[in-house]
Amino acid sequence: NSRLAEATQSKLVFFTNVSHDLRTPLTLIAEPVQQLSEATNLTPQQHSMMQLANKNVLILKRLINQILDFRKYENGKLNLHLAEIDFGAAARDWAESFRTMARRRGISLVIDIAPDLPAIIAVDPEKMERVLFNMMSNAFKHTPAGGTITLACRAEGDSLHISVTDTGEGIPPEELGHIFERFYQVDKVHPTGSGIGLSLVKAFIELHGGTITAESTPG
């Protein structure tokens, strides 16, 4: 176990260093790509290509930041940067970014924001966006065509309750308790992702003083 832990730490240090090296040139690429994607003198095909490039640059930046934030979390250096936002409106915007993917894959996307949700809530917007992005991405990864994914936000007393539900393949009971552990992946045969997404979601939620749980029935 100690040798495995040492190997894991060595890999994390390596990936952290690589992530730092990649972030600077990626940032320099991102700015002109974004400007070009918003240009008005492009043909429809060129505009579509630039939007695709911009989307994937943002995904790369998000993945790199995820590795760096995970290291900060492990070292106890991950901090909240609170701001007062209309959380219901923000959550709707974040979820709507998956609308095109849902349409393309034949999945029904339901966004259910309770009307009695407090207008203004103090959260770290960047971290909460990534919480929703990770949870929604995970749902899309495991939901087949014809399925349904639902984001719901409710006020429960002084608490905010957020749920992402899907009609995907489900998780076996013996695996369910481990899905928020770092590097744990339920699908050992065809693993996808880095294995730190849900672990980082848990860290972000707990930084906000919240808790996260999962319920699932295989099939």
Side-chain angles (χ1 to χ4, degrees), residues 167-218:
T167 57
E169 61 213 42
I171 302 170
E174 65 273 16
E175 307 273 10
L176 195 58
H178 300 288
I179 65 169
F180 298 112
E181 296 174 7
R182 64 181 186 176
F183 310 123
Y184 192 88
Q185 293 174 320
V186 172
D187 188 357
K188 297 295 192 300
V189 182
H190 303 289
T192 55
S194 62
I196 65 174
L198 288 179
S199 179
L200 203 55
V201 163
K202 182 174 184 286
F204 287 168
I205 292 294
E206 290 177 348
L207 273 174
H208 281 84
T211 58
I212 186 164
T213 59
E215 299 173 13
S216 186
T217 303

Side-chain angles (χ1 to χ4, degrees), residues 22-213:
L22 288 174
R23 189 160 66 170
T24 299
L26 190 58
T27 300
L28 295 174
I29 292 169
E31 182 63 29
V33 168
Q34 182 181 358
Q35 289 185 21
L36 280 171
S37 70
E38 297 171 352
T40 57
N41 60 339
L42 301 178
T43 66
Q45 183 182 11
Q46 290 171 333
H47 189 255
S48 177
M49 290 170 65
M50 289 311 304
Q51 283 188 319
L52 180 64
N54 188 50
K55 176 184 175 182
N56 282 281
V57 165
L58 293 176
I59 290 172
L60 279 174
K61 287 180 70 177
R62 186 179 284 116
L63 290 171
I64 287 173
N65 287 334
Q66 189 156 288
I67 294 171
L68 297 175
D69 278 348
F70 189 76
R71 288 295 287 161
K72 287 180 187 176
Y73 169 64
E74 283 209 312
N75 295 326
K77 296 178 180 178
L78 193 61
N79 299 314
L80 283 179
H81 300 283
L82 296 177
E84 293 186 340
I85 65 169
D86 182 338
F87 187 83
R92 186 178 297 279
D93 285 344
W94 297 333
E96 282 291 349
S97 64
F98 288 89
R99 184 70 67 185
T100 301
M101 182 192 298
R103 196 176 295 119
R104 187 174 66 245
R105 292 180 49 185
I107 293 173
S108 175
L109 174 60
V110 179
I111 302 173
D112 181 14
I113 310 294
D116 62 343
L117 206 66
I120 301 297
I121 300 174
V123 296
D124 185 321
E126 191 264 346
K127 288 182 177 60
M128 288 307 300
E129 179 184 17
R130 287 167 61 192
V131 163
L132 261 67
F133 181 87
N134 267 296
M135 293 200 299
M136 297 287 287
S137 295
N138 200 62
F140 273 95
K141 194 182 297 181
H142 298 286
T143 302
T148 300
I149 295 172
T150 303
L151 167 70
C153 295
R154 294 274 184 278
E156 296 187 356
D158 293 332
S159 298
L160 171 66
H161 185 268
I162 307 164
S163 67
V164 175
T165 58
D166 63 66
T167 57
E169 61 213 42
I171 302 170
E174 65 273 16
E175 307 273 10
L176 195 58
H178 300 288
I179 65 169
F180 298 112
E181 296 174 7
R182 64 181 186 176
F183 310 123
Y184 192 88
Q185 293 174 320
V186 172
D187 188 357
K188 297 295 192 300
V189 182
H190 303 289
T192 55
S194 62
I196 65 174
L198 288 179
S199 179
L200 203 55
V201 163
K202 182 174 184 286
F204 287 168
I205 292 294
E206 290 177 348
L207 273 174
H208 281 84
T211 58
I212 186 164
T213 59

